[in-house]
Amino acid sequence: MDIFYLFVLLLSCRIQVAGRMKLSPETLTVLRGEEVRFTCSASNSRWTVMVWLLNGTAVLTIAKDGGVLPSVNPNVTAETSPVSHGDSWVFVLKFTERHDQGPVTCDLQGIDRKTASLFVQEKGSVKVVGEDKLAFKGQSVPFECQAAGWYPPPTLQWQVNDKKVNQDEYNISSEESGKSLFTVTSNLSVTAVKSSHVACLASVSALLTPLKSSVRLTVVAEVLQEEEDDCTLPLALTASLSALLLLLLLCTCTVLWHRRRRQAKPSPQEAIRSDQSVSGRRSVAEQTGGNVNLGYSSEGPTDAVNNELIGETRRQEDFVIFHKVPDVVSSSSLSLHNMAPPQVCLSEENSKNVRRITTV
């Protein structure tokens, strides 16, 4: 019975000793470069010195009466906890490096010590290899993702239009590079159903938001389907034949138009002769006030004689002003032997007689 009481007494003493100090958090995971804080609280106010050890090496000493003592490591410091009365201190590691990973110990000299675990991770980069892609509907499109410079190896996850892809649909391979950093590669094959955003996400436990890289997959439908092949060729031939027939029709119309124009156009000699005859007739008819019979053909003078007479008539038009001319005063038949033109008597204000010729 005495042995039993002795055992209970020893157990209670051990529980009291264990409850004299507390270290929190017990485990902490951070990214390289982040600040680290551990809090050590002593329930026994009789402690005098608190020593902090990092990976088994003392890096900071705190005296209950004197506070934080000078340290050779400028990257560590300590501050009192706002909820304590001098018996709780916060150990601060300003800039965390990879070699800081390991146990963090708070040692109350002569009373107790507690140890926590610190894990330092490395954030790298993630990239979907290549640029935006274009594919026909139903085509299988490959994608590759590379996450480089991570510690530990990151977790990769594929997403299509923000929906996670089943892990059975892609593979993952990892290799270690210099400085204990890892590069992870993953390959995914996507069937082109509709235009989508394909994204690759990489993350470690200390990273609150995964790193993301995405590309655009544009899906287009084929213009020519198998059902349309049979009617595409006849349509093309019909269009070509229609264009050819239209061209031939235009050429034929152009040739006929030019031919009719040539037939209707008189020869140069006939045009000159017609112009001279009409001009002479108009001149005499206008000045005499008579009517010209365009259907009459003289048998006497030749074309040369008529031209001479018409020229003489035009020259004399400049000196004569007619007030009134009878249609025909007198006319006589012309012969080839008599080249003189017939006499026409006209009455004018200056009582001059001028020769004129007209054809009835």
Side-chain angles (χ1 to χ4, degrees), residues 79-354:
E79 57 188 36
T80 58
S81 175
V83 297
S84 67
H85 301 282
D87 294 332
S88 181
W89 286 85
V90 178
F91 173 73
V92 180
L93 186 58
K94 299 177 183 179
F95 190 91
T96 309
E97 295 288 352
R98 285 280 306 280
H99 60 262
D100 295 328
Q101 177 173 294
V104 178
T105 303
C106 176
D107 185 7
L108 291 178
Q109 296 289 307
I111 299 177
D112 198 5
R113 65 162 48 190
K114 289 288 184 177
T115 300
S117 297
L118 174 63
F119 297 96
V120 180
Q121 297 180 345
E122 188 87 14
K123 179 181 70 175
S125 62
V126 62
K127 176 68 176 178
V128 177
V129 180
E131 300 178 350
D132 296 344
K133 296 187 178 182
L134 184 68
F136 289 108
K137 188 174 182 179
Q139 183 179 354
S140 181
V141 183
F143 292 91
E144 181 181 352
C145 177
Q146 287 185 354
W150 295 78
Y151 178 85
T155 301
L156 287 187
Q157 176 68 52
W158 286 96
Q159 290 183 354
V160 177
N161 286 338
D162 297 330
K163 293 183 178 180
K164 292 184 178 180
V165 179
N166 194 332
Q167 294 184 359
D168 297 336
E169 299 182 13
Y170 57 88
N171 60 353
I172 296 178
S173 60
S174 176
E175 63 178 353
E176 185 176 359
S177 59
K179 298 182 181 180
S180 300
L181 297 178
F182 293 88
T183 298
V184 178
T185 304
S186 179
N187 294 279
L188 171 68
S189 181
V190 177
T191 301
V193 177
K194 62 179 182 179
S195 297
S196 310
H197 285 91
V198 180
C200 178
L201 290 79
S203 178
V204 289
S205 59
L207 189 61
L208 299 179
T209 303
L211 296 185
K212 183 178 181 180
S213 175
S214 62
V215 294
R216 172 78 175 173
L217 171 61
T218 303
V219 180
V220 295
E222 295 186 18
V223 177
L224 297 178
Q225 302 294 335
E226 293 181 359
E227 294 80 8
E228 299 176 354
D229 291 342
D230 296 334
C231 61
T232 301
L233 184 58
L235 289 176
L237 292 177
T238 303
S240 301
L241 292 176
S242 300
L244 182 59
L245 291 175
L246 181 60
L247 181 61
L248 291 176
L249 181 60
L250 291 176
C251 293
T252 303
C253 293
T254 303
V255 171
L256 292 176
W257 181 76
H258 280 287
R259 183 174 296 176
R260 290 188 60 183
R261 186 175 181 183
R262 288 181 180 179
Q263 292 177 353
K265 185 177 180 180
S267 62
Q269 295 180 355
E270 294 177 354
I272 295 173
R273 189 177 303 169
S274 175
D275 291 341
Q276 292 175 350
S277 176
V278 172
S279 176
R281 292 170 185 174
R282 287 181 179 177
S283 299
V284 175
E286 289 174 358
Q287 296 179 10
T288 61
N291 296 324
V292 179
N293 187 357
L294 298 178
Y296 177 78
S297 177
S298 175
E299 298 178 354
T302 62
D303 291 340
V305 175
N306 287 333
N307 292 338
E308 181 180 357
L309 293 177
I310 291 171
E312 182 179 357
T313 301
R314 289 181 179 177
R315 289 192 298 272
Q316 294 178 359
E317 286 177 359
D318 299 333
F319 304 98
V320 179
I321 299 176
F322 295 95
H323 292 278
K324 183 176 181 181
V325 181
D327 291 342
V328 177
V329 177
S330 62
S331 62
S332 60
S333 300
L334 299 177
S335 62
L336 296 176
H337 301 284
N338 185 12
M339 301 300 296
Q343 297 293 328
V344 179
C345 297
L346 305 175
S347 61
E348 298 179 0
E349 292 181 356
N350 53 6
S351 301
K352 290 184 179 181
N353 294 327
V354 182

